Amino acid sequence: CRVVVKEAVANGRLVDGEAPAVLRAVADRYGVGPDAVAIGAVLAQPWCDVVLSGAVTADQLASNAAAVSFDPDELADLIEPPDRYWATRSARPWA
């Protein structure tokens, strides 16, 4: 079996403009965007084989590709229960 993570940036909630302060602080420390930190955190998980970036522009792809290795425990404050994640995701405006 392989694990493919589809929503590493939580459908846009973990990118510039929407990223929580703790994620932006870690991104600033590493000199990358919050999306790169979110993707790096997922890639650091031993169960993760593939992360789909969801990038739709060249700039987004370049930013996603800058994913960094770091201690994912730095983002422990961002962990949310699945029911809250799905409720928040369901409430997002979809174009």
Side-chain angles (χ1 to χ4, degrees):
C1 290
R2 291 197 180 277
V3 174
V4 177
V5 176
K6 176 184 169 281
E7 298 182 8
V9 294
N11 284 98
R13 291 190 299 138
L14 302 179
V15 299
D16 288 328
E18 291 195 48
V22 65
L23 181 59
R24 287 192 312 268
V26 172
D28 288 347
R29 193 165 43 254
Y30 287 95
V32 297
D35 58 314
V37 173
I39 291 170
V42 174
L43 287 169
Q45 302 305 313
W47 43 261
C48 178
D49 295 302
V50 176
V51 176
L52 303 178
S53 80
V56 295
T57 68
D59 288 343
Q60 289 172 342
L61 182 58
S63 185
N64 289 179
V68 293
S69 296
F70 67 98
D71 182 358
D73 288 340
E74 292 183 63
L75 300 177
D77 291 343
L78 292 179
I79 296 171
E80 63 184 5
D83 58 331
R84 189 170 77 200
Y85 172 84
W86 288 107
T88 302
R89 182 186 187 278
S90 297
R92 289 189 63 79
W94 300 101

